[in-house]
Amino acid sequence: DTFYTGYTTDIEKRIETHNSGKWAKYTRGRLPVRLIYSESYETEGRARRREYEIKQLSRNDKEILIRKSSI
């Protein structure tokens, strides 16, 4: 019941890797992970900046962002 935020160039591979118990220690104890929201950017720099912005949001604001994307 937590949100994990990260950036990648291959979403499917990232989810598969997390669910295999590799990479982020944070996700290992919270399996299985599932994608509930994503954004795309042209540059890695912009993606990293957006990742940081999302990580700064409160849980409530993240839930609002997710809900708005599914409308």
Side-chain angles (χ1 to χ4, degrees):
D1 294 324
T2 63
F3 297 132
Y4 172 80
T5 304
Y7 88 96
T8 185
T9 58
D10 188 336
I11 290 176
E12 290 81 18
K13 183 178 178 183
R14 180 76 174 258
I15 294 168
E16 181 182 313
T17 303
H18 280 308
N19 281 326
S20 71
K22 298 178 183 173
W23 279 6
K25 198 185 312 185
Y26 179 84
T27 59
R28 269 186 241 150
R30 295 167 172 85
L31 298 177
V33 298
R34 64 187 177 96
L35 180 67
I36 59 171
Y37 179 79
S38 69
E39 296 179 4
S40 296
Y41 292 93
E42 292 294 320
T43 67
E44 179 181 331
R46 180 63 187 116
R48 285 181 179 261
R49 283 190 297 278
R50 182 60 175 151
E51 174 192 16
Y52 178 79
E53 290 170 1
I54 292 172
K55 286 182 175 184
Q56 302 311 302
L57 297 175
S58 68
R59 179 176 180 87
N60 186 60
D61 288 342
K62 290 174 187 175
E63 289 172 346
I64 291 168
L65 182 66
I66 293 163
R67 276 196 303 274
K68 284 183 179 179
S69 74
S70 62
I71 294 174

